[in-house]
């Protein structure tokens, strides 16, 4: 790859320049505060990591700073649920964009408690219900799954964020109870929410995120060296499906605009992280906690957009 726009030395130069340019921009957006524990971060952190299929991680800025991954965890839980389910899963949660905010409840009643997709909160709560019913120790299984993919043992769940999620998660609780009433939550609502909040409270850094999701850029197989090298994390079909859902729903009600301007399957979290999958190339992960009005990292979205354009990365 040496000499091509995608060689590691060139990637390093591109991301160093982007971080330097980023720091000259006025700070836009607000740190999430609807879960109080999320407010306690440096609002001006900014980091980027790019992991290529050979496992090389190229970083700039605060790429090794841990942060709350929040909704990015919905990718791991979806893969865990898919590997222990058949296609009936897609009768309980659909694969359509919602066009609504990530925590919106409005469609749930008119659509009989079936969430539009697994990347909005309601959908991820159904996925949590599936995990709780398929794994004997769901929280442990989740941490183990992510730890193995990151090659970091064990990954950490931030207990302050976890407690804050539980205390302030009234909207998520309302959606879970509504879906229970429609028969689309099978377990005890309390247990399902507990697991959902646990997933959201996972702390990782950009390097971990990029490395752990390489299998999605490699048809379901984790390509790096180490414990998980060559392991099939999910089938090729499931890999295709996850990427399709990320392309249409991963950036909430900004997913259309993101596909239009970037063209990569991606997922954001209100902690300020975004990951983007580049099939047959690698994964980009960014962190910057100030969010735009859609709940997506302001600087993070800019970084991914610029990076993808400079390297000519798009699936379309
Ligand atoms: N924990 C958050 C919530 O449930 C996750 C949402 C997000 O990152 N968009 O509201």
């Amino acid at each position: 790859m040496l000499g091509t726009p995608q060689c590691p030395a060139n990637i390093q130069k591109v991301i160093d320049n982007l971080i330097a340019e980023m720091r000259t921009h006025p700070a836009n957006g607000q740190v999430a505060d609807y879960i109080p524990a999320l407010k306690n971060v440096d609002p001006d952190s900014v980091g980027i990591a790019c992991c290529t299929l050979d496992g090389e991680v190229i970083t700039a800025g605060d790429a090794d700073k841990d942060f709350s991954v929040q909704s990015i965890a919905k990718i791991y839980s979806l893969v865990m649920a898919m590997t222990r389910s058949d296609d009936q899963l897609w009768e309980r949660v659909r694969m359509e964009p919602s066009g609504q905010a990530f925590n919106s409840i409005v469609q749930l009643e008119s659509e009989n408690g079936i969430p539009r997709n697994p990347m909005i909160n309601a959908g991820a709560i159904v996925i949590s219900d599936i995990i709780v019913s398929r794994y004997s120790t769901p929280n442990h299984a989740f941490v183990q799954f992510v730890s193995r993919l990151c090659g970091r043992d064990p990954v950490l769940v931030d207990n302050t964020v976890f407690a804050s999620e539980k205390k302030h998660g009234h909207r998520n609780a309302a959606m879970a109870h509504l879906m229970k009433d429609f028969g689309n939550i099978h377990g005890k609502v309390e247990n399902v929410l507990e697991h959902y909040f646990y997933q959201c409270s996972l702390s990782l850094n950009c390097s971990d995120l990029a490395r752990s999701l390489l299998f999605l850029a490699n048809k379901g197989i984790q390509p790096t060296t180490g414990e998980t090298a060559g392991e099939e994390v999910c089938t090729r079909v499931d890999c295709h499906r996850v990427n399709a859902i990320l392309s249409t729903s991963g950036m909430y009600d900004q997913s259309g605009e993101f596909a239009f301007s970037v063209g990569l399957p991606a997922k954001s979290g209100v902690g300020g992280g975004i990951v983007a999958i580049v099939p047959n190339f690698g994964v980009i992960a960014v962190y910057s906690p100030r969010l735009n009005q859609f709940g997506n990292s302001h600087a993070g979205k800019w970084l991914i957009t610029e990076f993808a354009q400079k390297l000519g990365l798009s699936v379309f």
Side-chain angles (χ1 to χ4, degrees):
M1 274 207 288
L2 199 68
T4 70
Q6 297 173 1
C7 75
N10 189 53
I11 292 174
Q12 186 70 62
K13 209 158 74 200
V14 169
I15 62 178
D16 285 343
N17 289 343
L18 287 177
I19 291 287
E21 186 181 340
M22 182 76 252
R23 295 204 198 277
T24 68
H25 291 178
N28 270 319
Q30 301 296 328
V31 172
D33 59 1
Y34 71 106
I35 301 164
L38 287 180
K39 271 192 306 199
N40 305 327
V41 292
D42 172 4
D44 298 316
S45 297
V46 51
I48 180 167
C50 173
C51 187
T52 49
L53 286 193
D54 55 9
E56 177 149 10
V57 187
I58 305 143
T59 64
D62 301 309
D64 293 318
K65 190 182 242 187
D66 285 349
F67 63 91
S68 189
V69 306
Q70 292 293 316
S71 273
I72 299 175
K74 292 177 169 74
I75 303 180
Y76 302 116
S77 55
L78 174 60
V79 172
M80 282 178 72
M82 286 168 98
T83 55
R84 296 221 175 165
S85 310
D86 55 22
D87 277 355
Q88 282 177 353
L89 181 152
W90 301 107
E91 287 161 23
R92 295 182 57 191
V93 52
R94 305 296 298 159
M95 64 300 278
E96 297 298 340
S98 70
Q100 301 285 335
F102 63 87
N103 57 0
S104 171
I105 198 169
V106 295
Q107 284 163 339
L108 266 187
E109 170 140 48
S110 58
E111 298 185 358
N112 302 317
I114 314 276
R116 284 281 177 111
N117 67 71
M119 295 297 136
I120 51 174
N121 288 10
I125 292 170
V126 171
I127 295 296
S128 294
D129 183 43
I130 292 172
I131 291 181
V132 166
S133 72
R134 303 282 202 283
Y135 292 83
S136 52
T137 49
N139 290 2
H140 178 69
F142 177 77
V143 161
Q144 230 184 1
F145 180 70
V146 180
S147 299
R148 293 192 75 235
L149 290 174
C150 293
R152 171 175 167 180
D153 206 17
V155 291
L156 297 176
V157 165
D158 183 328
N159 282 319
T160 312
V161 174
F162 186 35
S164 200
E165 295 265 359
K166 284 200 270 190
K167 187 161 173 213
H168 299 274
H170 305 298
R171 184 177 277 265
N172 289 318
M175 291 193 279
H177 282 287
L178 184 59
M179 292 189 288
K180 178 82 183 171
D181 190 60
F182 277 111
N184 198 19
I185 293 291
H186 300 171
K188 276 179 74 177
V189 167
E190 295 70 28
N191 297 349
V192 172
L193 285 172
E194 172 96 8
H195 181 62
Y196 171 71
F197 293 139
Y198 188 81
Q199 291 171 15
C200 293
S201 309
L202 177 70
S203 280
L204 293 178
N205 59 44
C206 293
S207 303
D208 294 329
L209 278 168
R211 199 179 307 109
S212 68
L213 294 171
L214 275 185
F215 68 97
L216 290 177
N218 194 44
K219 303 179 181 70
I221 295 170
Q222 192 69 347
T224 52
T225 51
E227 205 191 342
T228 53
E231 192 173 298
E232 185 184 86
V233 180
C234 65
T235 64
R236 200 182 173 115
V237 172
D238 282 350
C239 177
H240 159 90
R241 289 176 170 181
V242 173
N243 281 323
I245 286 171
L246 295 182
S247 301
T248 52
S249 308
M251 300 291 285
Y252 310 118
D253 42 340
Q254 203 174 23
S255 298
E257 197 263 321
F258 193 81
F260 185 84
S261 54
V262 182
L264 294 174
K267 181 78 201 91
S268 68
V270 292
I274 306 179
V275 294
I277 313 297
V278 192
N280 307 318
F281 170 75
V283 178
I284 312 157
V286 294
Y287 169 57
S288 180
R290 291 184 192 270
L291 308 180
N292 64 19
Q293 76 264 38
F294 301 101
N296 296 323
S297 168
H298 206 285
K301 180 170 174 285
W302 181 86
L303 283 170
I304 291 188
T305 307
E306 292 292 311
F307 182 83
Q309 282 173 3
K310 285 199 165 40
L311 271 75
L313 306 173
S314 162
V315 297
F316 301 117

